[in-house]
Amino acid sequence: QKKEARELRIRALEYVPNDITPIDLRRIALEYFKLEDYDKAEELLIRLQKTGFEPVSTLLHLARVCVVTERLDKVKKYVEDAWVMRKEAKSYLIARLLWFKIALDMIENLPIQNYLGQLKTILQNDESLAEWTMQPVLDHLKPKLKENDRALLTALVAAMSFKENIKKLNEFKEWKKADPLTID
């Protein structure tokens, strides 16, 4: 029955007209992401990117797809492109950018303190919080990360989604040691 429901959702999404609004296009791409049809999600996000609609958000959606499809080089490119445009972005997107930078540095065993400090600063602003669907990414990153790093990334997603989860970050020594920093 679950498989049938999934197939019905896919069939309902199959026709995406050319005159669809950017918001609808992003919503449909997210549905494909949730259905694990990453090729279709990426195709729609690239189409969305060409419209110029919310470029930082679109690049982050593309980065998320590229993590689960094992293309970390593209993740880095999308994150760096989005970082250049961060001044135009809403604060919750800057928080997400920092999360990606932390995750990428963890994979490469690079220091994360500066990014954690910047994230600590931005999370003081309620506008930097927005629910975020990252479980597929976290699951995919699991074998690439140390247990504590994976736990910290998971806690960061929870904190970035809901304010009441921010206190739980104090369980991590890396978070406690990070001095709040302004975003450069």
Side-chain angles (χ1 to χ4, degrees):
Q1 189 175 10
K2 190 175 181 180
K3 185 178 178 182
E4 287 177 20
R6 183 181 188 280
E7 289 175 11
L8 282 173
R9 284 175 62 198
I10 289 174
R11 272 192 262 138
L13 294 170
E14 279 178 353
Y15 176 70
V16 181
N18 285 328
D19 61 348
I20 195 166
T21 69
I23 292 171
D24 288 334
L25 191 58
R26 182 176 57 198
R27 183 188 51 76
I28 294 168
L30 180 59
E31 283 300 314
Y32 276 112
F33 179 82
K34 289 177 181 176
L35 291 167
E36 298 178 9
D37 188 341
Y38 303 123
D39 290 339
K40 188 65 174 179
E42 183 176 19
E43 173 191 322
L44 295 176
L45 289 167
I46 288 170
R47 186 169 142 190
L48 182 62
Q49 185 183 25
K50 290 177 182 173
T51 70
F53 177 75
E54 296 185 2
V56 173
S57 176
T58 303
L59 288 166
L60 289 173
H61 284 291
L62 283 163
R64 185 169 57 177
V65 169
C66 289
V67 168
V68 296
T69 56
E70 287 290 327
R71 294 176 292 150
L72 289 180
D73 56 326
K74 281 207 163 227
V75 175
K76 290 176 188 175
K77 172 87 171 92
Y78 288 137
V79 169
E80 287 309 312
D81 289 351
W83 188 253
V84 169
M85 295 183 274
R86 71 187 176 280
K87 288 184 176 27
E88 307 165 20
K90 296 176 182 171
S91 20
Y92 77 91
L93 294 173
I94 295 169
R96 292 175 181 186
L97 269 168
L98 289 165
W99 184 93
F100 271 105
K101 286 180 161 290
I102 291 165
L104 289 167
D105 281 358
M106 284 176 167
I107 290 168
E108 296 181 10
N109 291 311
L110 296 171
I112 60 169
Q113 288 310 111
N114 285 343
Y115 294 135
L116 279 176
Q118 291 173 345
L119 190 54
K120 193 177 261 192
T121 299
I122 201 163
L123 287 181
Q124 293 173 13
N125 175 354
D126 286 346
E127 292 178 10
S128 63
L129 305 174
E131 193 170 355
W132 200 19
T133 305
M134 287 298 281
Q135 197 57 52
V137 172
L138 291 164
D139 291 345
H140 195 78
L141 289 175
K142 184 176 181 176
K144 295 173 177 35
L145 297 168
K146 297 175 210 157
E147 179 64 29
N148 187 66
D149 289 349
R150 187 182 58 76
L152 177 55
L153 286 175
T154 301
L156 287 171
V157 169
M160 292 163 55
S161 295
F162 302 103
K163 186 175 186 157
E164 61 270 14
N165 294 326
I166 293 175
K167 291 177 194 155
K168 295 176 186 172
L169 292 172
N170 289 320
E171 297 171 11
F172 296 90
K173 67 179 190 260
E174 300 89 347
W175 183 259
K176 287 198 297 192
K177 286 195 306 188
D179 293 323
L181 297 172
T182 57
I183 296 170
D184 48 6

